[in-house]
Amino acid sequence: MRLPFRFGCAALAALLLMTGCYAVTLDRDLNLTPEMFAQRQVQTRRFDTTDEKKILTTCAALLQDTGFTIDESDTQLGLLIASKERDASDPVQWAVFLTAGIFLGVPIPPDKDQVMKAFVTTRPAGTEGRQVAVRVVFERTVFDTEQRLKKIEPLNDPNLYRGFFEKLSKALFLEAHEF
Amino acid sequence: MNFDRLKRTLHLLIPLMFLVTACATTQDHLLDMNTSQVQLRSIQSRAFDTTDKEKTMRAIIATLQDLGFMLDRADYTLGVVTASKARADSVQMQAYASLRITVTVRPRGEKQLLVRASAEYLRSPVTDAKPYQNFFNSLEKAMFLEAHQVD
């Protein structure tokens, strides 16, 4: 009789926590922080060219090569937004789901689908605009098997960005300089 | 006979009344203005000493990207940029929240540009001065220009 009561308390506390803690807040998310500048370093490279348009078209082609669909673009402002929908099944999560379901009777639905987004901006940089800086940001939205929203998160792994810029640099026949 | 008809009419009328009131209460939000419009406009606007619209819009987009926003829409001719930042993590017990912002740029006199931002958070408009102040502080750094308060 004591266990369900405890469980109920835990569930209630979890609910309270969930309503009390928002992932985005007005106080925090409109202020620049040192972490944001660090992110910018990881997500930006400079190329020795003055042809911003060429960089943008190469980025569009690269995104298309990697299975993205272009959602929005503007050459005058130097931006590209693209997205793709992919499978997000994770064998580890399925193992946890089955174990928890069988032994504890608590179903934790595993991830199923994800929408990945890419946001690219270009801008003239360097002395007298002799370089073009490219910045890309990736984020993803994950849904579980019940089609409920599980998480929306930025993809911060530096390797992802390194990989993107390596490919871009090859396609442009130009060397990518760290910011 | 007469009473019967009245009863039937009532049966029809009562659900209809509920329907009518239900519609009226939620559609009201379409054109609502909570704070004084003039006051809100002043909180949301800043003037910059430049006439370079392209550079200003690029700075706005760069600032939003720095702040972790995802761009939804941008139109150079209209001078409009719309972006949103949504995060959620059910494993870490972080509830879904999204912050949406529209920034517009238009000329103010012959030597200035007026930048106006309007934000929406948790399904309601942001009317506090502080969040806008923070946004313009961030934008100033990207513009390398001072943001002037306007009346």
Side-chain angles (χ1 to χ4, degrees):
Chain A
M1 208 46 213
R2 275 183 81 179
L3 195 71
F5 177 70
R6 254 193 218 168
F7 183 73
C9 282
L12 200 71
L15 263 172
L16 277 176
L17 257 174
M18 274 194 90
T19 50
C21 175
Y22 287 111
V24 172
T25 63
L26 274 180
D27 308 329
R28 212 176 42 212
D29 287 86
L30 289 167
N31 271 326
L32 288 173
T33 60
E35 292 85 54
M36 284 172 182
F37 288 117
Q39 276 306 317
R40 180 160 70 182
Q41 297 265 338
V42 173
Q43 298 166 343
T44 311
R45 292 291 186 283
R46 283 166 183 240
F47 294 92
D48 294 319
T49 176
T50 48
D51 197 348
E52 193 187 352
K53 209 175 268 178
K54 187 187 161 200
I55 294 227
L56 214 53
T57 40
T58 313
C59 281
L62 177 57
L63 287 169
Q64 212 175 0
D65 284 343
T66 43
F68 278 92
T69 307
I70 310 290
D71 297 321
E72 177 88 5
S73 61
D74 195 319
T75 27
Q76 183 151 16
L77 298 173
L79 63 92
L80 270 177
I81 298 129
S83 63
K84 65 176 171 183
E85 288 177 33
R86 289 294 182 268
D87 183 55
S89 305
D90 178 0
V92 178
Q93 284 191 354
W94 273 95
V96 172
F97 167 61
L98 292 174
T99 330
I102 294 164
F103 294 106
L104 306 168
V106 192
I108 308 162
D111 296 352
K112 186 168 181 292
D113 302 313
Q114 59 180 336
V115 180
M116 302 170 110
K117 277 190 185 175
F119 174 14
V120 181
T121 55
T122 55
R123 65 183 167 81
T127 44
E128 296 162 25
R130 294 254 177 79
Q131 288 181 317
V132 174
V134 182
R135 179 171 183 187
V136 62
V137 177
F138 296 113
E139 71 169 43
R140 66 170 189 161
T141 307
V142 183
F143 297 93
D144 65 14
T145 48
E146 317 266 297
Q147 283 307 312
R148 279 179 309 211
L149 174 69
K150 197 147 179 207
K151 62 185 162 195
I152 306 175
E153 60 177 6
L155 299 171
N156 288 337
D157 182 2
N159 290 323
L160 284 175
Y161 295 95
R162 211 168 292 141
F164 178 85
F165 288 117
E166 261 169 33
K167 286 195 173 101
L168 182 63
S169 159
K170 266 182 205 151
L172 281 167
F173 300 110
L174 285 172
E175 198 187 331
H177 303 292
E178 294 261 344
F179 192 62
Chain B
M1 188 64 195
N2 224 347
F3 179 70
D4 245 23
R5 190 182 285 172
L6 186 74
K7 213 171 149 186
R8 216 179 294 156
T9 333
L10 264 179
H11 276 179
L12 257 174
L13 256 177
I14 291 173
L16 204 72
M17 269 172 65
F18 270 105
L19 264 173
V20 169
T21 50
C23 290
T25 46
T26 50
Q27 285 185 2
D28 270 354
H29 293 302
L30 182 64
L31 295 171
D32 60 359
M33 292 182 194
N34 295 330
T35 350
S36 137
Q37 199 56 19
V38 182
Q39 195 188 338
L40 188 62
R41 200 179 298 160
S42 140
I43 289 172
Q44 295 177 335
S45 308
R46 294 291 185 281
F48 288 91
D49 295 326
T50 176
T51 51
D52 194 341
K53 185 179 173 185
E54 187 184 314
K55 205 175 157 192
T56 308
M57 284 188 75
R58 279 172 179 265
I60 291 166
I61 294 166
T63 305
L64 290 168
Q65 200 175 28
D66 280 345
L67 292 168
F69 278 73
M70 189 50 82
L71 205 81
D72 298 319
R73 189 133 306 220
D75 188 315
Y76 176 75
T77 318
L78 289 179
V80 176
V81 176
T82 301
S84 53
K85 184 173 186 176
R87 295 278 183 270
D89 199 329
S90 58
V91 180
Q92 288 182 20
M93 302 281 181
Q94 287 188 321
Y96 169 83
S98 96
L99 177 55
R100 305 211 311 144
I101 190 163
T102 287
V103 188
T104 55
V105 180
R106 60 192 172 85
R108 181 176 191 265
E110 291 198 336
K111 286 180 182 160
Q112 283 188 320
L113 283 175
L114 188 78
V115 177
R116 181 174 178 184
S118 50
E120 184 177 280
Y121 179 65
L122 298 178
R123 283 166 295 281
S124 45
V126 177
T127 50
D128 289 347
K130 188 72 187 145
Y132 294 107
Q133 184 67 51
N134 290 341
F135 172 72
F136 286 114
N137 282 348
S138 309
L139 181 60
E140 269 182 335
K141 284 172 198 141
M143 292 278 290
F144 299 109
L145 280 174
E146 198 187 331
H148 304 293
Q149 194 95 35
V150 284
D151 302 315

